[in-house]
Amino acid sequence: MTVRDDAFVGQIITPLRRYIPVGWFDWEPYGKRPKSWWPDLFMFLGFLALAYLVSYPSWLVQLDWDIRVWAATANDVDWLRNLAKGGAEFGQARTVATVTLLIAIWCALRSRSIRPLLMYVISFITLASILGMKHLLGRPLSQHPFALREVSPDGPLLFTYHPEGGGPNITDATAFPSGHAVNSILLFGLIVMLIGHVIPAWARWTLLLAPPAIVFSSQIFLGQHWFSDEPAGFLLGLIIIRSAKRVPWHTIPLGPLQVFDPATRRTILISVLLILGVMLTPTLHLVPALISAAVLPTLGLIWLWLSTKAKQHRDALEAAEAEASAADQADGDAEGDPEIPSQPSDMSPRA
């Protein structure tokens, strides 16, 4: 006795339907809007305090150095080092951002809306500001701690890279704050906002808590970052994801983008291609990156203009058809109703 393919698929899909709410097609981000800005203010002040403590030879800089020296002698176990490399991928943008984008695409297709993609791309673009901050603050990375002594005897301070040039053996000074730490908070927080309604509570808490802990321990063990880079990144990630939760993505006016809602598959495909271009731009060399940064917005504006014109043309045709239909109906009513002859009134005077 054989089982039909559709029956087998039904056995798999049917149990999953209990995780899909009735109003799933009306996508709405999961999570409550933060009620107060005070936690955000305290977290930003905490970030500033960390930045101040690593701007001069403080106790925190000495702690960073001691932990890095310990990690340099402790990670000589191959299997443990390989495990830590895998754990660091939980904060790697090219990995987690791709997974988050795939989930956003799934939500967009299911709800026929660009709103999940809009939430993703606006929140993801904030990472560009973190990248600029890392270059501006100029703290050397921790991969070469002993070579760093030659150019910065006081330790891994902010702005060490800029006046000294970093030296030939020092990689780019982009250590503070940790981008991996920001990603582990922001991107997994976006995943929960995208599909939090269809996963159980234990899965939501795992996505929110496990990646930051794994990234923290992995990067410290591998020596990819100084100890204080990690909490600085976590604080910024929390500020960004809390800001994202304050936006009513499912009801916010789309403005000119309203022409794309409800979204077709072609609309979602073009949106994804533009988003991928934005994601790849920072990985290019300077000239290709500048060209990409100029071409992508231009293509997006042209697409918006063409879509607006097409929408106006469709609306004009529909209005003309509705007017013609109303006119035909009025003519039909006039021809179908015979004129009722007037009857003399009983109150009229007799001849």
Side-chain angles (χ1 to χ4, degrees):
M1 178 178 177
T2 59
V3 180
R4 295 189 316 174
D5 292 340
D6 56 349
F8 178 72
V9 173
Q11 292 176 0
I12 298 177
I13 298 299
T14 301
L16 296 178
R17 289 179 179 170
R18 66 189 182 95
Y19 292 112
I20 303 178
V22 176
W24 169 247
F25 287 93
D26 297 327
W27 176 80
E28 180 179 349
Y30 177 83
K32 297 181 179 179
R33 184 180 186 275
K35 297 181 180 179
S36 174
W37 286 94
W38 284 109
D40 305 77
L41 176 61
F42 289 138
M43 286 188 289
F44 184 68
L45 292 176
F47 172 79
L48 293 180
L50 289 172
Y52 173 73
L53 289 173
V54 297
S55 64
Y56 71 98
S58 65
W59 62 267
L60 184 57
V61 173
Q62 185 60 46
L63 178 63
D64 285 340
W65 182 262
D66 293 340
I67 293 176
R68 179 65 187 96
V69 172
W70 167 82
T73 57
N75 62 5
D76 55 351
V77 181
D78 291 338
W79 69 268
L80 195 56
R81 185 168 60 253
N82 293 331
L83 182 63
K85 289 180 179 179
E89 286 296 316
F90 283 90
Q92 184 63 261
R94 65 170 178 253
T95 303
V96 187
T98 302
V99 174
T100 310
L101 178 59
L102 292 175
I103 296 174
I105 294 171
W106 182 71
C107 292
L109 291 172
R110 293 299 303 272
S111 60
R112 294 188 60 205
S113 174
I114 63 170
R115 293 178 182 274
L117 296 174
L118 187 65
M119 184 185 77
Y120 170 83
V121 71
I122 292 180
S123 301
F124 184 80
I125 286 177
T126 57
L127 294 178
S129 62
I130 303 299
L131 182 61
M133 181 186 300
K134 290 157 65 74
H135 283 280
L136 180 64
L137 293 176
R139 191 185 198 194
L141 288 168
S142 59
Q143 278 85 344
H144 307 281
F146 303 107
L148 177 63
R149 284 292 195 189
E150 300 176 5
V151 296
S152 180
D154 293 330
L157 309 181
L158 294 184
F159 316 112
T160 301
Y161 177 76
H162 292 282
E164 303 295 342
N169 298 322
I170 307 300
T171 54
D172 292 340
T174 57
F176 189 89
S178 169
H180 281 63
V182 177
N183 294 337
S184 66
I185 295 289
L186 173 60
L187 294 176
F188 283 96
L190 287 177
I191 291 176
V192 172
M193 289 179 66
L194 286 166
I195 59 172
H197 291 97
V198 297
I199 58 177
W202 65 265
R204 293 195 295 267
W205 283 109
T206 301
L207 288 171
L208 293 175
L209 298 179
I214 294 173
V215 167
F216 175 81
S217 56
S218 298
Q219 288 206 299
I220 296 302
F221 181 77
L222 293 173
Q224 294 179 348
H225 270 281
W226 308 103
F227 172 82
S228 58
D229 299 339
E230 301 298 321
F234 292 148
L235 290 174
L236 290 182
L238 287 171
I239 292 174
I240 296 174
I241 196 64
R242 283 174 59 86
S243 300
K245 287 183 177 181
R246 287 187 165 88
V247 180
W249 298 102
H250 59 298
T251 58
I252 188 173
L254 295 178
L257 299 180
Q258 188 64 43
V259 298
F260 300 130
D261 211 43
T264 62
R265 291 183 178 180
R266 183 180 66 177
T267 297
I268 294 174
L269 174 61
I270 297 176
S271 301
V272 170
L273 292 178
L274 291 175
I275 292 173
L276 289 175
V278 172
M279 293 173 60
L280 293 176
T281 296
T283 66
L284 303 176
H285 294 291
L286 179 60
V287 174
L290 292 176
I291 294 175
S292 176
V295 170
L296 288 175
T298 302
L299 292 177
L301 290 174
I302 293 174
W303 178 39
L304 175 61
W305 179 75
L306 292 175
S307 300
T308 303
K309 290 296 183 182
K311 179 69 164 52
Q312 292 174 351
H313 181 66
R314 289 195 302 269
D315 291 343
L317 290 178
E318 291 176 359
E321 291 177 359
E323 184 178 353
S325 176
D328 293 341
Q329 185 177 0
D331 292 341
D333 293 341
E335 294 176 358
D337 295 337
E339 294 184 1
I340 301 175
S342 58
Q343 299 292 332
S345 174
D346 294 338
M347 301 300 295
S348 60
R350 297 181 180 179

